[in-house]
Amino acid sequence: LKRKNTKRVPSFRKLLRTSKIKLDNKLKNKQYKQQSAAKKYRKEQKKLRQAVRDAVCRKPVPLEEYKKKQVGKSEKREEEEEEDALPLDMMDEDDLKLMEDLAQKASFLTRDLSSNEPVHIKKRKHESVIDRYEKMPRRMQTEPEKELIHLLPIKDKGGIIPQTMEKPVLNVAQDEEEEDTEEMEVAEDSNEEPLLVLTPEEMTAQRRRKLQERKIHIAALASAILSDPENNVKKLKELRAMLMEQDPNVAVIVRKLVMVSLMEIFKDIAPSYKIRPLTEAEKATKVKKETQKLREFEEGLVSQYKFYLENLEQTIKDWKQRKLKKSNVISLKAYKGLAEIAVKCLCELLVALPHFNFHNNIIVLIVPLMNDTSKMISELCFEAIKKLFKQDKLGFASLGVVKVISGLVKGRNYDVRPEVLKVFLHLRIKEVELKKDSEDIAPKKKFMTYKEKRRNLSRMQRKWKKAEEKLERELLEAEASESKEKKLKLHTETLNIVFLTYFRILKKAQKSPLLPAVLEGLAKFAHLINVEFFDDLLIVLHSLIASGGLTYRETLHCILSAFHILSGQGDVLNIDPMKFYTHLYKTLFSLHAGGTNDDIGIVLQCLDVMLAKRRKQVSQQRALAFIKRLSTLALHVLPNSSIGILATNRVLMHTFPKMDLLLDNESQGSGVYLPELDEPEHCNAQNTALWELHLLQRHYHPIVQKFAAHLIVGAPAEGSGALSPDLSRRPATELFETYSMKGMTFNPPVASVTPRRKDTFSQMDSFLNEELHERLQQHISETAIHKPLDFAKHLKESSLS
């Protein structure tokens, strides 16, 4: 029978529960014991060799030499005859015969000391076991005893034959001794022979050859693991060992290649579930071979994945601390490249394996790097978090990231980059997406119709089928409602943490650079805030605007946040946000064709929420004032902003009645229009006209011309003055993005002017074309748009005359 091996290898869970310091101490104790055993063995060998040398030098000389008398030999040595002290003539024949018999039986002087055979054939009865053992020759044990494994015995006619085999044991002491001798030999060889000096070409060729060998080795290991992960999971350890490459010529490149290779391998072989540790009861239970094999694969995979993440973390820490290893294989400059690759691998694993083990550990590593001084590393982390938010449907991963970000902002006393809070804008927390996700998750079951049942089933079968379908419907509804409730619970907890972070900054750090990001986030999620906080939040936003310490962009975000609050659950509140209308009306003229042109998109969102969606709460005077000021603003911005503003004016003309007053020259009521007044209710906008539309009709951009001509005739929905469906059905914000001029090119491109004939005026035509082009380029940075076209028209008329 097999002897049961009582010493068991520690399991993976025990290793996880054991601290790193304890594991290091165990490893050091084990190495110390091995070294002590090897040292002791070498001392014994040295003493044995010394004893053998002493024995050879001092060989004992026998006092007497006896030889058996041989029959048939007549010759005798003369030396033996001289040494005989007792003459044989004086002895009796019986005594002589007795002496000869005793001489034949004497064994102490005549037998070979190296033989192990018993001296006498017949054992004496009074001879004890201890005496027999003491009479056995001594032999020094020059080699350690080999451990035997007892196998099943074999029975034959002669009896039972025991079977054993040697257990393969690694002789650490002998290996260390061989390594020491090899090192000594190498040192002697190096002392004897000088090192060869290689030329730069030879060094380059040698480096290329080594690098090619490492690449082939990495590819072979990766292919073997991917082809059969369950059987070749141990090769992950061999591949991970290459992260400690010691050759300084190829160390950096090899480590980068191994990092990326392991990352791709883990992405491919990781299962679609989280591997949990087994309980004691599950370990004690007997399972099938396939189940046991799967468990071993999962344990090995989790172990190697953990060590790999620790290696990546240590690489980043070494770079952050600017710390060199003792080996000095890699320079400090190369550590930055290794750290960037490590961050890339962590970001890929964060997005690709949100369900797998140690995902929260990766989040804890990635989130602080969003605030790193290195622009490349911070952008990598931003993009990874954004992707994770966009693809996270349930919300587990998003909740973990939001918790870590909130703790980071609070722990650093709000001294973080604004982009850290801007990632909250990519959270998938919207009512529409929540409903959509619940519908996607809820399983769909197709049931039989009444006609199909009547045609294919009997009465009893229809009765049973009806009961089964009722039960299945109840199960499906319970499953769908459970998943929806679970998702809503996660989203609610996530939003609570987001709002807690926002409110802390509004309360304690109003002058922080994080304020724009906070206001932008409130503008997006304001409709999800609890109604109890609406009054306090509106007061805070108004006080921020009234303080005068905000920029125009921050003011726009405050206004947008306030109206998002009032457009959702705030409809039930009886609040007149006239002061926010006044702030927006005052802020409009802060925008122009320069750097503020991109903020027109926020203005268009504000106008949509403030005027179009709240048309019942907006007075006619307010609407007229906004249309007039927006038309004036359209002259000072780039074409895409002009298109968005005119599209908004078109919506306002359709939404509010009597807007055609601005298309008539006659005054309506008393008073004079006051364009410099910041109160939209009291500027008397009904006594002015939209003369700006006539200037925009001569704009160089064709779409602006179309919108201006459409508004001049009253913005009809049908007829000759109507817009095409592709322009009339698209919202203002979409038109603003479509006709953007971020590439510093005309959108759509302006057709070049071709000369009508080649005559004496060809030089004048070329001069006019060049002058027209220069004036058009200069127009982009100027506030007046119509001047270049007027100038070109004037030049052409003068040339013709």
Side-chain angles (χ1 to χ4, degrees):
L1 299 176
K2 289 187 179 180
R3 182 181 296 175
K4 186 177 181 181
N5 191 3
T6 57
K7 188 174 181 181
R8 296 182 62 186
V9 179
S11 63
F12 171 68
R13 290 157 196 81
K14 190 173 181 181
L15 288 175
L16 284 181
R17 289 194 297 268
T18 310
S19 64
K20 188 178 180 182
I21 299 174
K22 191 171 181 180
L23 291 175
D24 294 341
N25 292 339
K26 284 186 177 181
L27 181 62
K28 289 179 182 178
N29 292 339
K30 185 178 179 181
Q31 293 175 353
Y32 178 73
K33 288 181 181 179
Q34 293 173 353
Q35 292 174 2
S36 302
K39 190 175 180 181
K40 185 177 180 181
Y41 176 71
R42 286 196 292 268
K43 285 184 179 179
E44 292 178 355
Q45 291 292 321
K46 188 176 180 181
K47 288 181 181 180
L48 180 61
R49 289 193 293 268
Q50 186 66 29
V52 171
R53 284 196 293 270
D54 295 342
V56 172
C57 295
R58 294 178 290 182
K59 187 175 182 180
V61 180
L63 297 176
E64 296 180 356
E65 188 175 7
Y66 294 94
K67 289 187 177 180
K68 296 180 180 180
K69 294 182 179 181
Q70 298 179 0
V71 181
K73 287 187 177 182
S74 59
E75 299 180 357
K76 293 183 179 180
R77 297 181 180 181
E78 295 179 358
E79 297 178 357
E80 292 180 357
E81 292 176 356
E82 293 176 356
E83 290 177 356
D84 289 338
L86 183 63
L88 300 178
D89 297 337
M90 297 177 65
M91 297 180 65
D92 296 336
E93 294 181 359
D94 297 336
D95 296 336
L96 182 60
K97 188 174 181 181
L98 180 61
M99 291 293 293
E100 289 177 355
D101 295 338
L102 289 173
Q104 289 179 0
K105 294 180 180 179
S107 62
F108 181 74
L109 297 176
T110 57
R111 71 183 176 89
D112 188 8
L113 292 177
S114 62
S115 63
N116 296 332
E117 298 177 358
V119 179
H120 307 288
I121 300 174
K122 294 182 179 180
K123 298 182 181 179
R124 297 178 183 177
K125 294 181 181 180
H126 64 273
E127 189 176 18
S128 63
V129 178
I130 298 177
D131 295 337
R132 282 190 281 112
Y133 179 76
E134 291 296 332
K135 288 179 181 180
M136 294 283 290
R138 304 296 192 268
R139 185 177 65 179
M140 183 173 287
Q141 186 177 1
T142 58
E143 59 182 9
E145 294 183 359
K146 296 182 178 180
E147 187 177 353
L148 298 179
I149 300 175
H150 295 272
L151 305 178
L152 292 174
I154 300 174
K155 185 176 181 181
D156 59 355
K157 295 180 179 180
I160 297 175
I161 303 173
Q163 299 290 322
T164 58
M165 67 174 292
E166 296 180 0
K167 185 178 180 180
V169 180
L170 296 175
N171 196 345
V172 181
Q174 186 175 357
D175 295 342
E176 290 182 356
E177 189 175 1
E178 291 177 358
E179 291 177 359
D180 295 339
T181 55
E182 289 176 1
E183 290 178 358
M184 293 172 63
E185 291 175 0
V186 171
E188 292 175 358
D189 296 338
S190 62
N191 293 332
E192 293 176 359
E193 298 180 0
L195 294 174
L196 297 176
V197 180
L198 300 178
T199 62
E201 291 79 8
E202 293 175 347
M203 292 176 66
T204 305
Q206 185 181 8
R207 179 178 180 276
R208 191 181 296 111
R209 185 178 66 256
K210 289 182 180 178
L211 189 59
Q212 187 65 23
E213 291 175 358
R214 302 295 196 282
K215 287 181 179 179
I216 293 173
H217 188 47
I218 293 171
L221 290 175
S223 299
I225 295 169
L226 293 175
S227 61
D228 192 1
E230 291 188 358
N231 295 327
N232 297 326
V233 70
K234 293 183 179 179
K235 292 188 177 181
L236 282 171
K237 184 178 181 181
E238 184 179 353
L239 185 58
R240 191 173 54 81
M242 297 183 71
L243 287 172
M244 300 294 121
E245 177 65 40
Q246 298 299 319
D247 192 344
N249 293 327
V250 296
V252 178
I253 298 179
V254 169
R255 292 186 183 188
K256 289 181 180 180
L257 292 174
V258 174
M259 284 181 187
V260 178
S261 301
L262 282 170
M263 180 262 295
E264 294 293 341
I265 289 172
F266 283 121
K267 284 170 60 178
D268 288 341
I269 68 175
S272 59
Y273 54 88
K274 186 176 182 179
I275 300 174
R276 63 172 181 83
L278 298 176
T279 61
E280 296 297 331
E282 290 175 341
K283 291 179 183 178
T285 306
K286 292 184 179 181
V287 295
K288 296 181 180 179
K289 291 183 179 180
E290 293 80 4
T291 308
Q292 185 64 27
K293 187 177 181 181
L294 180 61
R295 287 182 178 180
E296 293 175 357
F297 165 70
E298 289 177 348
E299 287 183 2
L301 177 62
V302 172
S303 175
Q304 295 303 321
Y305 187 57
K306 175 177 175 289
F307 292 140
Y308 171 63
L309 294 179
E310 288 178 352
N311 290 332
L312 296 181
E313 181 185 6
Q314 191 61 42
T315 303
I316 298 172
K317 284 183 178 179
D318 291 342
W319 170 66
K320 297 289 286 183
Q321 298 172 359
R322 305 294 192 271
K323 184 172 66 176
L324 277 175
K325 295 291 186 182
K326 294 181 180 179
S327 58
N328 290 334
V329 175
I330 299 176
S331 62
L332 280 174
K333 292 183 179 179
Y335 262 114
K336 184 178 181 182
L338 283 175
E340 289 177 354
I341 298 298
V343 172
K344 283 184 180 178
C345 294
L346 287 172
C347 292
E348 288 288 335
L349 294 173
L350 177 74
V351 177
L353 303 176
H355 58 278
F356 198 55
N357 299 56
F358 309 114
H359 190 257
N360 290 333
N361 303 74
I362 301 176
I363 292 173
V364 174
L365 284 175
I366 291 296
V367 169
L369 292 176
M370 296 167 63
N371 196 41
D372 194 79
T373 54
S374 175
K375 186 176 180 181
M376 179 179 180
I377 289 180
S378 61
E379 287 182 354
L380 281 174
C381 298
F382 286 141
E383 294 300 324
I385 298 295
K386 289 177 185 177
K387 289 181 182 177
L388 181 65
F389 282 164
K390 289 180 180 179
Q391 73 180 23
D392 186 21
K393 290 185 176 181
L394 294 177
F396 285 108
S398 300
L399 178 61
V401 174
V402 169
K403 284 182 178 179
V404 178
I405 291 177
S406 178
L408 176 70
V409 173
K410 184 180 179 183
R412 299 196 177 183
N413 199 16
Y414 313 106
D415 186 16
V416 295
R417 300 174 63 186
E419 288 79 5
V420 177
L421 289 181
K422 285 185 178 179
V423 295
F424 287 162
L425 301 176
H426 300 274
L427 285 168
R428 290 189 61 178
I429 304 179
K430 295 181 181 178
E431 294 181 0
V432 176
E433 290 185 357
L434 283 172
K435 292 178 182 178
K436 181 181 178 182
D437 293 343
S438 62
E439 291 173 1
D440 293 342
I441 295 174
K444 297 179 180 179
K445 179 73 174 179
K446 185 178 180 182
F447 298 100
M448 295 178 66
T449 61
Y450 179 77
K451 291 183 178 179
E452 291 177 351
K453 292 178 185 177
R454 192 69 180 266
R455 183 172 58 251
N456 299 325
L457 302 177
S458 63
R459 182 178 179 183
M460 186 59 66
Q461 288 176 343
R462 288 199 301 270
K463 187 176 180 180
W464 281 103
K465 192 69 175 177
K466 184 178 180 180
E468 289 178 2
E469 289 180 355
K470 182 179 179 182
L471 180 60
E472 287 177 1
R473 285 194 182 94
E474 292 176 356
L475 292 174
L476 291 176
E477 289 175 0
E479 185 178 354
S481 61
E482 183 182 357
S483 62
K484 184 178 179 181
E485 290 175 0
K486 190 174 183 181
K487 191 185 306 180
L488 287 175
K489 185 178 179 181
L490 289 171
H491 287 177
T492 304
E493 188 176 355
T494 304
L495 263 184
N496 288 337
I497 299 173
V498 171
F499 287 138
L500 180 63
T501 307
Y502 286 164
F503 294 158
R504 279 176 181 167
I505 296 172
L506 286 175
K507 184 179 180 182
K508 299 180 180 180
Q510 291 186 357
K511 296 183 179 180
S512 170
L514 299 177
L515 188 59
V518 171
L519 295 174
E520 194 172 353
L522 285 175
K524 180 173 183 180
F525 302 114
H527 62 285
L528 300 173
I529 301 177
N530 195 344
V531 182
E532 299 174 358
F533 303 108
F534 281 2
D535 290 336
D536 297 333
L537 192 55
L538 288 174
I539 293 171
V540 171
L541 293 175
H542 177 64
S543 62
L544 286 174
I545 297 173
S547 65
L550 302 181
T551 62
Y552 75 93
R553 185 182 180 90
E554 295 172 359
T555 304
L556 291 176
H557 281 305
C558 282
I559 296 169
L560 186 60
S561 302
F563 279 97
H564 271 305
I565 292 172
L566 296 174
S567 64
Q569 305 176 50
D571 287 337
V572 298
L573 301 177
N574 188 13
I575 298 175
D576 184 18
M578 181 60 196
K579 47 197 171 185
F580 292 106
Y581 284 98
T582 304
H583 290 315
L584 179 61
Y585 189 77
K586 187 191 306 183
T587 310
L588 285 178
F589 278 161
S590 300
L591 306 173
H592 50 76
T596 63
N597 185 80
D598 293 336
D599 299 327
I600 298 292
I602 306 174
V603 173
L604 297 177
Q605 295 179 30
C606 292
L607 293 170
D608 182 53
V609 177
M610 297 168 65
L611 299 175
K613 293 183 179 179
R614 293 176 59 87
R615 55 183 176 270
K616 293 183 180 180
Q617 289 85 7
V618 178
S619 63
Q620 181 180 348
Q621 294 293 332
R622 198 180 303 175
L624 290 171
F626 270 99
I627 289 178
K628 175 61 180 177
R629 181 154 287 198
L630 288 172
S631 300
T632 307
L633 179 63
L635 298 173
H636 301 277
V637 291
L638 292 183
N640 61 328
S641 301
S642 298
I643 295 171
I645 290 171
L646 294 177
T648 302
N649 282 350
R650 178 180 178 273
V651 173
L652 295 179
M653 285 187 175
H654 289 169
T655 304
F656 296 96
K658 299 183 180 180
M659 289 297 106
D660 54 352
L661 295 174
L662 297 176
L663 301 177
D664 192 359
N665 293 332
E666 297 180 1
S667 60
Q668 301 290 332
S670 61
V672 180
Y673 174 61
L674 302 174
E676 71 281 358
L677 193 66
D678 293 332
E679 293 291 338
E681 296 285 348
H682 308 292
C683 66
N684 299 321
Q686 73 278 1
N687 293 325
T688 184
L690 296 179
W691 53 266
E692 295 88 357
L693 296 178
H694 293 276
L695 296 176
L696 292 171
Q697 238 182 336
R698 292 180 288 174
H699 199 281
Y700 75 91
H701 201 283
I703 306 299
V704 177
Q705 294 177 11
K706 289 181 181 180
F707 268 100
H710 173 67
L711 293 177
I712 284 177
V713 296
E718 297 177 353
S720 59
L723 287 175
S724 58
D726 60 327
L727 295 177
S728 61
R729 295 178 181 177
R730 296 164 73 181
T733 53
E734 185 178 347
L735 292 171
F736 172 76
E737 295 293 336
T738 303
Y739 296 100
S740 175
M741 301 179 68
K742 292 181 180 179
M744 294 304 293
T745 57
F746 295 108
N747 184 16
V750 179
S752 60
V753 181
T754 56
R756 288 175 293 180
R757 66 176 186 274
K758 294 182 181 180
D759 50 10
T760 56
F761 297 100
S762 60
Q763 295 181 354
M764 183 62 70
D765 291 339
S766 62
F767 169 76
L768 291 174
N769 288 333
E770 291 176 1
E771 187 69 21
L772 177 61
H773 182 69
E774 291 178 2
R775 296 291 291 178
L776 285 174
Q777 290 291 337
Q778 187 180 0
H779 146 267
I780 296 178
S781 60
E782 294 179 351
T783 58
I785 295 178
H786 59 282
K787 290 182 180 180
L789 294 174
D790 290 344
F791 178 75
K793 184 177 180 181
H794 174 68
L795 288 178
K796 287 186 177 181
E797 289 176 357
S798 61
S799 64
L800 292 174
S801 62

